[in-house]
Amino acid sequence: MEKHILITNDDGIESGFLHAIAGALADRFRITIAAPGSEQSWIGRAVSRRGGVPVQKHPELPWPAWTIGGTPTDCVNIAMANLLDERPDAVVSGINIGYNTTTQLIYCSGTVAGALEGAFWGLPAFAVSLEIPDDIFWEVSNAKGRMPEGWQSLLDDSAEHAASLIAKLLEDGESPKRNGDAVVHNLNYPSRPENPFRILRTIPAHLREMGFFQSNGNGEYNFHFTHGQMRPSEQVTDREALAKGAVSHSILNFSALGRDLNH
């Protein structure tokens, strides 16, 4: 029987990056989309506790899809508990506009959180992100994932490779969940990849203390992203993989929090 993939993201259901991975996955699987109605970046694993969360079918796409007025976590939870007639075989979140690397950013990521919600339901879960150069990031973000001239092939090739990799991992039985743990495969694609794509198994880089805000001079502080300074690591980090033009593949076991990993 054809496997069924539930897809979400944090950039919103109109994102061209979501449509790219959906199209690539649809060539291999049956897919359903449950995605936010608006951008939910940097929201982490937020849940909409107060007020109603609107849910509407989204007929503009060629696949079954819902627009959900909440967070990526809301989207997957509502779909799993209320919308789907059958349990999917995996959850894929992305493609995110920009990378989701380093320990600090992973915990802020709505993309990773959408995948994590699937993992908490016992499903194989994948978060997919694409590094975007600083000089075009805001153009791409403001255009809802429409790439400038000369860059569309990067998105299409990354989506195709990610879909193929996810299919292989599922076929090989390399489920991201181990002994019931909540595990996410975090895939980050470089902005200037090697040809052909090369995958490196990585760990999240850990940054030194970094501020996310700067004063606007009016008694307020506005968000101001900085890339931070990486601490040395004996293992290849996700940031190092991207700098080498390689795909970063980190396996994130969120169930290991607070455990003695030596026992």
Side-chain angles (χ1 to χ4, degrees), residues 169-185:
L169 290 171
L170 292 176
E171 181 181 350
D172 291 349
E174 187 177 334
S175 172
K177 59 185 180 67
R178 300 169 178 172
N179 301 320
D181 286 347
V183 176
V184 173
H185 279 222

Side-chain angles (χ1 to χ4, degrees), residues 23-219:
L25 288 169
D27 289 337
R28 299 165 172 83
F29 305 102
R30 183 164 55 88
I31 68 168
T32 300
I33 297 171
S38 61
E39 183 187 344
Q40 300 289 314
S41 299
W42 290 85
I43 204 72
R45 193 177 142 69
V47 175
S48 298
R49 176 171 172 256
R50 294 177 175 84
V53 178
V55 176
Q56 294 180 322
K57 288 190 174 181
H58 192 85
E60 290 85 354
L61 294 175
W63 316 285
W66 284 279
T67 299
I68 297 178
T71 70
T73 298
D74 295 340
C75 292
V76 175
N77 188 279
I78 289 173
M80 292 293 299
N82 299 277
L83 303 179
L84 299 179
D85 294 329
E86 61 183 16
R87 184 180 179 87
D89 295 288
V91 169
V92 174
S93 186
I95 296 174
N96 188 66
I97 301 173
Y99 58 49
N100 277 303
T101 60
T102 76
T103 304
Q104 286 91 329
L105 300 188
I106 284 169
Y107 279 101
C108 296
S109 169
T111 300
V112 174
L116 177 58
E117 180 63 20
F120 281 141
W121 285 77
L123 297 176
F126 305 87
V128 187
S129 304
L130 174 60
E131 178 187 36
I132 303 296
D134 289 346
D135 59 343
I136 65 170
F137 177 84
W138 287 112
E139 177 184 356
V140 175
S141 181
N142 291 335
K144 298 181 179 179
R146 289 190 294 274
M147 295 289 264
E149 184 176 356
W151 286 93
Q152 184 62 40
S153 62
L154 171 66
L155 173 59
D156 294 340
D157 293 346
S158 298
E160 182 65 25
H161 185 272
S164 178
L165 176 58
I166 290 168
K168 183 177 187 305
L169 290 171
L170 292 176
E171 181 181 350
D172 291 349
E174 187 177 334
S175 172
K177 59 185 180 67
R178 300 169 178 172
N179 301 320
D181 286 347
V183 176
V184 173
H185 279 222
N186 191 33
L187 305 174
N188 280 273
Y189 280 78
S191 59
R192 293 177 173 83
E194 296 178 344
N195 186 15
F197 283 105
R198 178 169 65 107
I199 304 170
L200 290 179
R201 183 63 60 84
T202 58
I203 63 169
H206 188 65
L207 304 181
R208 298 187 186 279
E209 293 77 6
M210 59 185 296
F212 285 141
F213 297 86
Q214 66 178 10
S215 173
N216 63 12
N218 296 317

Side-chain angles (χ1 to χ4, degrees), residues 209-229:
E209 293 77 6
M210 59 185 296
F212 285 141
F213 297 86
Q214 66 178 10
S215 173
N216 63 12
N218 296 317
E220 297 177 340
Y221 286 79
N222 292 355
F223 181 80
H224 178 70
F225 178 73
T226 59
H227 291 279
Q229 182 180 0

